[in-house]
Amino acid sequence: MNDVQNKMFLEIRDKELFNQSQKYVLEYLENIFDRNVYPTEKAIENLSIFDEELPTSSTSAKNVIEQLNTYGNPATTATLGGRYFGFVCGSAVPVGLAAKSLGTYWDQAPAMNILSPIGSKLESVVEKWLIDLFNLPKHTSAGFVSGTSTANLCGLAAARYRILQRNNWNINEKGLRNSPKIRIVTSKQAHSTVLKAIGILGLGTENIEWIDVDNQGRIIPELIPELDENTILILQAGNVNSGAFDDFESICEKAKKNNTWIHIDGAFGLWAEAVDKLNYLTKGIENATSWAVDGHKTLNTPYDCGIVLCADQEAMTSALHMSGSYIIESTKRDGMFYTPEMSRRARIIELWSIMKYLGKSGIDEMILTMHQRAKQFAEEIEKIKGFYVENNIVFNQVIVRCDSDKITEQVLSNIQMLRECWLGGSVWFGKKVMRVSICSWATTKNDITKSVKSFEKALKMEITNANTVYKQ
Ligand SMILES: *Cc1c(COP(=O)(O)O)cnc(C)c1O
């Protein structure tokens, strides 16, 4: 046996390495709810320790883990905690973290049933659960991908396949050159990953027929052009700024009659369908053809966990199909026919665990709580002079601004510096705004009040600062 192999056998048998990392994990979890939400300047500076040449020879595993924990841990953002409101992130349900850890050691790749019977089984089970939870057509198929970016890509690839196939054009064989034209109709508020997918698929963003939106960011249904069977209509469940939902009920019915392919980007919002008090928002989604949704946002699975759902299984598997002399197809589920990748990690392990753990009522309660916290945030922040809420709180997003773009920017920067909570900025109908996304199971009423106080402090700092400048 050579030296490195010998060493690795020792490490896997002598449990110290794993005990050490387990100890760090537990310490991390213990502190995550109380620590600064964003890393300190010092912690970020210290990352320079990683700037080194690839070591010439093997080093100690213990030291590798030690370095990672000492310098990596303080430079993490506390997305797992209750006061990280940036982007639309989501925490992780504890059982999901534990299941992920177990799955990590199994190291499964559910490309084919024969490669991972457990991965294949869980994917089949969760596919059914999701269809049931989202009330989608019974014949819908699911692909388990890295996130909604990929799920959007897959849904639109299936749409492209089907529309061209109807025109006697096999996209896989003939490519796009000289192919029949595909129309794309979507909202001016479509998420940038939708545009990215359109670009990657060669459909061209210049070909988009843009539809104007109302003051919440929803498509104005009357402005949708004539639709036909060569059209992909892309709708949104959960606007990334306002959380607003397109009016699926009226739009989808009309589009379906025209045999239009409807794709819904529901990265975080599709989950409204699983909540009794919120599923009025997703009424009509069952009439779409494909849907993209994340586990790692609203459902709080660990990263990376996205799902593409498609009612046209043949289009989806044709768009993503591959074959090879060594591939062993089974009568059970071979996951790779539903995803762009062949090998991928078995993220289904966490997804299954969390759905099994929460059950329907647990999912409902967790998501409704996020909504209530968002409403609480809006109510509390509006009581403070100088803050304005710019959207209707239908789901989990709150858009806040101050009296001017300049003040909003400065206050946001102060909030970020305080590190008591974290959020980012955006532009909403031409105005600079702060966007608060509440999508962690761990956010308590107290977290909201504490964060609102941090906003207040940040505004006071700005006023004091402005006065000082004025006096000088
Ligand atoms: C986050 C998001 C995406 C992209 O999803 P990823 O999981 O980050 O790839 C797409 N659309 C919307 C509306 C989103 O919020």
Side-chain angles (χ1 to χ4, degrees):
M1 241 189 279
N2 63 37
D3 281 354
V4 173
Q5 188 178 38
N6 216 2
K7 206 165 96 171
M8 291 193 287
F9 269 122
L10 283 174
E11 273 149 7
I12 211 156
R13 283 176 188 144
D14 157 28
K15 303 189 178 61
E16 204 187 325
L17 176 63
F18 301 102
N19 284 335
Q20 181 199 11
S21 70
Q22 201 57 26
K23 182 175 137 259
Y24 292 152
V25 164
L26 298 178
E27 282 168 10
Y28 188 78
L29 292 181
E30 208 169 289
N31 293 322
I32 195 66
F33 302 108
D34 303 315
R35 55 162 274 195
N36 47 304
V37 178
Y38 199 81
T40 60
E41 296 283 353
K42 184 80 189 143
I44 294 171
E45 257 168 47
N46 287 346
L47 289 175
S48 59
I49 188 107
F50 291 99
D51 295 325
E52 58 168 340
E53 299 291 324
L54 177 65
T56 46
S57 57
S58 173
T59 173
S60 132
K62 189 165 179 283
N63 287 352
V64 170
I65 297 299
E66 193 87 45
Q67 180 183 343
L68 198 55
N69 189 60
T70 307
Y71 297 98
N73 170 333
T76 59
T77 45
T79 50
L80 213 57
R83 277 174 277 110
Y84 186 90
F85 307 124
F87 310 98
V88 185
C89 270
S91 177
V93 174
V95 74
L97 289 171
K100 185 179 182 187
S101 173
L102 195 56
T104 294
Y105 292 97
W106 293 352
D107 199 25
Q108 297 291 286
M112 287 166 270
N113 177 272
I114 200 163
L115 184 51
S116 176
I118 175 64
S120 168
K121 170 56 83 183
L122 295 182
E123 287 196 353
S124 309
V125 170
V126 171
E127 179 181 71
K128 285 206 201 77
W129 285 359
L130 290 168
I131 291 168
D132 178 42
L133 196 65
F134 292 139
N135 295 302
L136 300 181
K138 291 283 168 271
H139 54 275
T140 299
S141 303
F144 299 94
V145 295
S146 56
T148 293
S149 303
T150 311
N152 279 333
L153 181 74
C154 294
L156 297 179
R160 183 181 70 164
Y161 176 88
R162 174 58 73 215
I163 290 174
L164 292 179
Q165 183 269 342
R166 276 192 208 126
N167 287 275
N168 299 315
W169 188 275
N170 184 321
I171 175 73
N172 295 343
E173 291 165 4
K174 297 191 176 200
L176 271 180
R177 188 178 293 253
N178 301 324
S179 66
K181 187 168 161 57
I182 297 174
R183 287 176 59 206
I184 304 156
V185 177
T186 194
S187 150
K188 284 191 176 162
Q189 284 280 329
H191 193 266
S192 48
T193 56
V194 167
L195 309 185
K196 182 174 177 166
I198 289 170
I200 294 174
L201 290 167
L203 298 171
T205 49
E206 276 187 11
N207 296 313
I208 297 175
E209 299 171 45
W210 299 101
I211 317 165
D212 220 340
V213 293
D214 65 14
N215 65 359
Q216 299 299 311
R218 293 171 297 207
I219 278 182
I220 301 170
E222 296 75 43
L223 298 183
I224 297 177
E226 248 342 276
L227 298 170
D228 58 41
E229 59 170 22
N230 292 324
T231 305
I232 308 173
L233 172 65
I234 306 165
L235 305 175
Q236 195 170 53
N239 178 289
V240 80
N241 287 312
S242 70
F245 292 66
D246 287 331
D247 176 3
F248 306 113
E249 201 175 19
S250 76
I251 300 172
C252 293
E253 201 177 321
K254 185 176 145 199
K256 202 179 181 184
K257 268 189 205 132
N258 293 311
N259 217 5
T260 297
W261 185 293
I262 308 166
H263 175 79
I264 298 179
D265 172 4
F268 63 95
L270 208 69
W271 294 101
E273 179 65 22
V275 184
D276 278 346
K277 290 207 172 83
L278 299 176
N279 63 14
Y280 72 95
L281 294 164
T282 41
K283 216 168 175 191
I285 55 164
E286 69 280 2
N287 286 320
T289 334
S290 54
W291 305 262
V293 60
D294 271 325
H296 57 228
K297 289 178 179 169
T298 313
L299 187 66
N300 279 223
T301 70
Y303 287 105
D304 48 3
C305 179
I307 306 139
V308 54
L309 294 147
C310 185
D312 185 342
Q313 187 192 24
E314 195 205 43
M316 179 163 158
T317 53
S318 300
L320 303 173
H321 203 87
M322 58 167 284
S323 57
S325 56
Y326 66 99
I327 287 170
I328 306 165
E329 290 187 35
S330 82
T331 50
K332 303 209 177 82
R333 180 186 168 92
D334 294 316
M336 68 180 190
F337 297 135
Y338 307 87
T339 61
E341 309 94 335
M342 186 173 185
S343 305
R344 78 205 138 87
R345 65 180 198 89
R347 51 179 69 93
I348 193 65
I349 294 171
E350 301 98 84
L351 182 54
W352 173 84
S353 306
I354 289 172
M355 291 185 76
K356 161 96 177 167
Y357 167 76
L358 289 172
K360 281 189 186 182
S361 71
I363 293 173
D364 183 316
E365 183 188 319
M366 181 176 78
I367 299 171
L368 186 63
T369 304
M370 292 171 190
H371 170 62
Q372 287 162 344
R373 298 279 182 268
K375 296 200 61 119
Q376 182 197 343
F377 188 97
E379 278 159 26
E380 291 188 14
I381 202 79
E382 278 203 308
K383 287 193 190 128
I384 300 170
K385 193 167 163 282
F387 286 116
Y388 309 89
V389 173
E390 292 288 281
N391 65 319
N392 300 335
I393 315 303
V394 294
F395 200 53
N396 67 330
Q397 302 287 115
V398 188
I399 305 178
V400 184
R401 71 168 172 88
C402 301
D403 278 308
S404 71
D405 277 4
K406 195 163 151 275
I407 299 175
T408 302
E409 266 185 328
Q410 196 51 52
V411 169
L412 177 59
S413 156
N414 293 347
I415 293 168
Q416 291 177 344
M417 196 187 62
L418 287 167
R419 294 176 166 77
E420 293 165 319
C421 62
W422 201 91
L423 56 138
S426 188
V427 176
W428 187 243
F429 291 102
K431 282 187 190 135
K432 295 246 161 79
V433 294
M434 301 182 265
R435 49 190 293 285
V436 183
S437 177
I438 292 163
C439 48
S440 164
W441 66 266
T443 304
T444 61
K445 284 184 183 162
N446 236 342
D447 282 320
I448 298 293
T449 305
K450 190 169 172 182
S451 303
V452 169
K453 286 222 170 80
S454 197
F455 272 62
E456 193 172 16
K457 222 185 286 176
L459 181 63
K460 277 210 185 102
M461 282 162 68
E462 160 60 18
I463 293 167
T464 314
N465 230 340
N467 285 345
T468 317
V469 173
Y470 179 73
K471 277 179 200 150
Q472 275 168 356

